[in-house]
Amino acid sequence: MNARLDEIAAWRPAPSGGLESAANEYGSPTVIHRTPSRLVEECEIAFDAGLLLAALSLVVTIPDVCAKAVGMKYTDWCVKYLDLPNTGEKMNAERKDEKSQDEISDELDGITARGAFTASDLYQLRCAVVHAGSSVIEGKGKDYSPYKVIGVCVQGDECGIVASYGHTGVGAENLKACAYDCVIKLEGLISRMAKGVVSFLEEDPERDCERGIKTGIDRRGVTDFRPLSRISYTLKKWLDF
């Protein structure tokens, strides 16, 4: 463990730019803008490279960027472009710690009817990931999700978002320590997000930009001042060919 932490602390940045910087033969500064399409692209690249935590952090924040561009709420954007259901109802009863088997049966039917994974659930997962680096659903908006935890898995299949959902509890007829939980597929969420962003941008291609300020120095994007590596430039020329 100590060796791994020492290795993390000893990280040094690569001295030369990567493939994106190779767009300019002379190594002039390259600006990577935080556009919706670029965020999706980097999310997919991160997933394929095995950087699952990076991919998860990106995919749950993409609706923030898109919704802000058109003055929508996060959940409303997810309903319209990700085709996620959302009733907006509170789920206080579902979060109680003690339940009977009958209550659990009725509430599971209600969860199924509302949608096993809704726009509200995605927003609560987003808050957990961004603010706490976890899957625990707590805080101001927790009452809008029946789940005390929303897990994330990878199954190798991009079809569908929900991998499983159900409940846990201790006891027989009357259960204590009850909790509903859901597990979603990261690749399914990324696939749905990519399609949603494409639909969003097809309505108006001008949306594929990063917000800036009207006056003053434009600080949009990340500017890469590193010189190009010969390998990166050669690879770029080969790909173009």
Side-chain angles (χ1 to χ4, degrees):
M1 180 65 175
N2 288 338
R4 176 172 172 272
L5 294 178
D6 289 342
E7 183 179 349
I8 292 173
W11 174 83
R12 294 294 182 272
S16 58
L19 185 59
E20 184 71 31
S21 296
N24 188 301
E25 179 179 358
Y26 302 103
S28 298
T30 301
V31 180
I32 312 301
H33 288 104
R34 290 163 286 201
T35 64
S37 64
R38 179 70 192 202
L39 293 175
V40 172
E41 182 183 9
E42 292 209 0
C43 180
E44 294 175 339
I45 291 171
F47 181 89
D48 290 339
L51 304 177
L52 303 183
L53 299 181
L56 175 61
S57 296
L58 263 177
V59 76
V60 298
T61 56
I62 288 171
D64 280 306
V65 176
C66 296
K68 184 70 174 179
V70 291
M72 295 178 70
K73 291 183 178 179
Y74 184 106
T75 50
D76 291 340
W77 190 90
C78 293
V79 169
K80 182 173 181 179
Y81 294 101
L82 302 185
D83 197 27
L84 290 177
N86 202 57
T87 61
E89 63 183 300
K90 288 193 173 184
M91 311 294 288
N92 303 89
E94 286 77 4
R95 301 186 69 89
K96 291 194 307 181
D97 291 331
E98 297 186 16
K99 302 178 188 294
S100 68
Q101 291 285 7
D102 288 340
E103 285 179 304
I104 291 171
S105 178
D106 290 342
E107 288 171 0
L108 278 174
D109 287 343
I111 290 171
T112 301
R114 94 189 243 281
F117 190 69
T118 69
S120 289
D121 295 327
L122 178 57
Y123 182 68
Q124 294 312 313
L125 176 62
R126 170 254 186 223
C127 293
V129 169
V130 171
H131 298 303
S134 82
S135 286
V136 179
I137 306 304
E138 57 187 358
K140 185 177 180 180
K142 67 179 182 180
D143 291 341
Y144 293 93
S145 176
Y147 306 120
K148 293 187 178 180
V149 62
I150 298 176
V152 183
C153 73
V154 174
Q155 294 185 338
D157 178 8
E158 78 282 3
C159 296
I161 295 179
V162 179
S164 65
Y165 67 99
H167 75 93
T168 57
V170 179
E173 181 59 31
N174 294 304
L175 283 69
K176 296 183 178 181
C178 290
Y180 296 105
D181 65 86
C182 178
V183 179
I184 66 164
K185 295 160 50 180
L186 179 56
E187 65 270 54
L189 180 58
I190 293 173
S191 178
R192 182 77 66 89
M193 191 67 66
K195 293 178 175 61
V197 170
V198 167
S199 177
F200 175 70
L201 296 180
E202 284 179 341
E203 288 183 356
D204 183 359
E206 295 296 321
R207 293 171 175 173
D208 199 28
C209 64
E210 179 181 335
R211 295 177 66 237
I213 56 177
K214 294 182 179 179
T215 60
I217 300 174
D218 188 350
R219 295 296 187 186
R220 289 179 294 176
V222 176
T223 305
D224 190 350
F225 290 99
R226 295 174 298 175
L228 298 178
S229 67
R230 183 178 297 276
I231 293 176
S232 293
Y233 181 63
T234 302
L235 179 58
K236 175 64 167 59
K237 296 291 283 186
W238 179 80
L239 289 175
D240 287 344
F241 177 78

